[in-house]
PDB file of all heavy atoms in Angstrom:
ATOM      1  N   ALA A 635     -26.340  -0.173  11.122  1.00 78.00           N
ATOM      2  CA  ALA A 635     -25.555   0.581  12.112  1.00 78.00           C
ATOM      3  C   ALA A 635     -24.098   0.126  12.077  1.00 78.00           C
ATOM      4  O   ALA A 635     -23.181   0.926  12.226  1.00 78.00           O
ATOM      5  CB  ALA A 635     -26.146   0.361  13.493  1.00 78.00           C
ATOM      6  N   ASP A 636     -23.910  -1.173  11.844  1.00 78.00           N
ATOM      7  CA  ASP A 636     -22.567  -1.730  11.784  1.00 78.00           C
ATOM      8  C   ASP A 636     -21.741  -1.113  10.650  1.00 78.00           C
ATOM      9  O   ASP A 636     -20.588  -0.737  10.820  1.00 78.00           O
ATOM     10  CB  ASP A 636     -22.695  -3.241  11.482  1.00 78.00           C
ATOM     11  CG  ASP A 636     -22.005  -4.047  12.535  1.00 78.00           C
ATOM     12  OD1 ASP A 636     -21.846  -3.515  13.650  1.00 78.00           O
ATOM     13  OD2 ASP A 636     -21.620  -5.194  12.218  1.00 78.00           O
ATOM     14  N   ILE A 637     -22.393  -1.047   9.490  1.00 78.00           N
ATOM     15  CA  ILE A 637     -21.702  -0.476   8.330  1.00 78.00           C
ATOM     16  C   ILE A 637     -21.389   0.996   8.591  1.00 78.00           C
ATOM     17  O   ILE A 637     -20.274   1.468   8.352  1.00 78.00           O
ATOM     18  CB  ILE A 637     -22.555  -0.638   7.052  1.00 78.00           C
ATOM     19  CG1 ILE A 637     -22.616  -2.114   6.667  1.00 78.00           C
ATOM     20  CG2 ILE A 637     -22.003   0.211   5.910  1.00 78.00           C
ATOM     21  CD1 ILE A 637     -23.407  -2.409   5.431  1.00 78.00           C
ATOM     22  N   ILE A 638     -22.378   1.705   9.129  1.00 77.00           N
ATOM     23  CA  ILE A 638     -22.168   3.142   9.359  1.00 77.00           C
ATOM     24  C   ILE A 638     -21.012   3.333  10.334  1.00 77.00           C
ATOM     25  O   ILE A 638     -20.130   4.172  10.134  1.00 77.00           O
ATOM     26  CB  ILE A 638     -23.464   3.802   9.895  1.00 77.00           C
ATOM     27  CG1 ILE A 638     -24.544   3.746   8.813  1.00 77.00           C
ATOM     28  CG2 ILE A 638     -23.210   5.240  10.329  1.00 77.00           C
ATOM     29  CD1 ILE A 638     -25.898   4.231   9.217  1.00 77.00           C
ATOM     30  N   GLU A 639     -21.012   2.511  11.372  1.00 75.00           N
ATOM     31  CA  GLU A 639     -19.954   2.573  12.391  1.00 75.00           C
ATOM     32  C   GLU A 639     -18.570   2.394  11.767  1.00 75.00           C
ATOM     33  O   GLU A 639     -17.614   3.069  12.141  1.00 75.00           O
ATOM     34  CB  GLU A 639     -20.227   1.450  13.409  1.00 75.00           C
ATOM     35  CG  GLU A 639     -19.139   1.220  14.398  1.00 75.00           C
ATOM     36  CD  GLU A 639     -19.406   1.969  15.702  1.00 75.00           C
ATOM     37  OE1 GLU A 639     -20.157   2.974  15.689  1.00 75.00           O
ATOM     38  OE2 GLU A 639     -18.876   1.546  16.695  1.00 75.00           O
ATOM     39  N   ASN A 640     -18.485   1.506  10.785  1.00 72.00           N
ATOM     40  CA  ASN A 640     -17.180   1.197  10.197  1.00 72.00           C
ATOM     41  C   ASN A 640     -16.854   1.991   8.935  1.00 72.00           C
ATOM     42  O   ASN A 640     -15.834   1.771   8.301  1.00 72.00           O
ATOM     43  CB  ASN A 640     -17.087  -0.305   9.902  1.00 72.00           C
ATOM     44  CG  ASN A 640     -17.009  -1.076  11.204  1.00 72.00           C
ATOM     45  OD1 ASN A 640     -16.217  -0.743  12.066  1.00 72.00           O
ATOM     46  ND2 ASN A 640     -17.863  -2.075  11.370  1.00 72.00           N
ATOM     47  N   THR A 641     -17.774   2.890   8.570  1.00 75.00           N
ATOM     48  CA  THR A 641     -17.504   3.723   7.396  1.00 75.00           C
ATOM     49  C   THR A 641     -16.522   4.811   7.811  1.00 75.00           C
ATOM     50  O   THR A 641     -16.662   5.369   8.892  1.00 75.00           O
ATOM     51  CB  THR A 641     -18.804   4.419   6.936  1.00 75.00           C
ATOM     52  OG1 THR A 641     -19.798   3.435   6.826  1.00 75.00           O
ATOM     53  CG2 THR A 641     -18.624   5.133   5.622  1.00 75.00           C
ATOM     54  N   PRO A 642     -15.552   5.128   6.967  1.00 79.00           N
ATOM     55  CA  PRO A 642     -14.650   6.206   7.349  1.00 79.00           C
ATOM     56  C   PRO A 642     -15.427   7.500   7.582  1.00 79.00           C
ATOM     57  O   PRO A 642     -16.370   7.801   6.847  1.00 79.00           O
ATOM     58  CB  PRO A 642     -13.729   6.349   6.134  1.00 79.00           C
ATOM     59  CG  PRO A 642     -13.897   5.114   5.344  1.00 79.00           C
ATOM     60  CD  PRO A 642     -15.242   4.541   5.667  1.00 79.00           C
ATOM     61  N   GLU A 643     -15.051   8.211   8.594  1.00 84.00           N
ATOM     62  CA  GLU A 643     -15.633   9.517   8.888  1.00 84.00           C
ATOM     63  C   GLU A 643     -15.331  10.459   7.728  1.00 84.00           C
ATOM     64  O   GLU A 643     -14.307  10.289   7.046  1.00 84.00           O
ATOM     65  CB  GLU A 643     -14.913  10.058  10.129  1.00 84.00           C
ATOM     66  CG  GLU A 643     -15.800  10.229  11.301  1.00 84.00           C
ATOM     67  CD  GLU A 643     -16.226  11.679  11.417  1.00 84.00           C
ATOM     68  OE1 GLU A 643     -16.629  12.298  10.409  1.00 84.00           O
ATOM     69  OE2 GLU A 643     -16.178  12.173  12.516  1.00 84.00           O
ATOM     70  N   ALA A 644     -16.209  11.465   7.527  1.00 90.00           N
ATOM     71  CA  ALA A 644     -15.969  12.408   6.428  1.00 90.00           C
ATOM     72  C   ALA A 644     -14.548  12.983   6.485  1.00 90.00           C
ATOM     73  O   ALA A 644     -13.846  13.032   5.472  1.00 90.00           O
ATOM     74  CB  ALA A 644     -16.995  13.524   6.479  1.00 90.00           C
ATOM     75  N   TYR A 645     -14.114  13.386   7.663  1.00 94.00           N
ATOM     76  CA  TYR A 645     -12.784  14.012   7.772  1.00 94.00           C
ATOM     77  C   TYR A 645     -11.667  13.040   7.413  1.00 94.00           C
ATOM     78  O   TYR A 645     -10.642  13.429   6.874  1.00 94.00           O
ATOM     79  CB  TYR A 645     -12.567  14.582   9.177  1.00 94.00           C
ATOM     80  CG  TYR A 645     -13.096  15.995   9.286  1.00 94.00           C
ATOM     81  CD1 TYR A 645     -14.380  16.241   9.751  1.00 94.00           C
ATOM     82  CD2 TYR A 645     -12.327  17.076   8.882  1.00 94.00           C
ATOM     83  CE1 TYR A 645     -14.872  17.539   9.828  1.00 94.00           C
ATOM     84  CE2 TYR A 645     -12.808  18.369   8.947  1.00 94.00           C
ATOM     85  CZ  TYR A 645     -14.083  18.600   9.425  1.00 94.00           C
ATOM     86  OH  TYR A 645     -14.561  19.879   9.473  1.00 94.00           O
ATOM     87  N   GLU A 646     -11.889  11.770   7.745  1.00 95.00           N
ATOM     88  CA  GLU A 646     -10.859  10.780   7.417  1.00 95.00           C
ATOM     89  C   GLU A 646     -10.710  10.679   5.891  1.00 95.00           C
ATOM     90  O   GLU A 646      -9.601  10.683   5.347  1.00 95.00           O
ATOM     91  CB  GLU A 646     -11.279   9.425   8.002  1.00 95.00           C
ATOM     92  CG  GLU A 646     -10.287   8.334   7.733  1.00 95.00           C
ATOM     93  CD  GLU A 646     -10.811   6.973   8.184  1.00 95.00           C
ATOM     94  OE1 GLU A 646     -11.657   6.919   9.101  1.00 95.00           O
ATOM     95  OE2 GLU A 646     -10.385   5.969   7.598  1.00 95.00           O
TER      96      GLU A 646
END
Side-chain angles (χ1 to χ4, degrees):
D636 236 23
I637 291 181
I638 294 175
E639 171 96 337
N640 290 311
T641 309
E643 244 261 47
Y645 273 94
E646 180 187 334

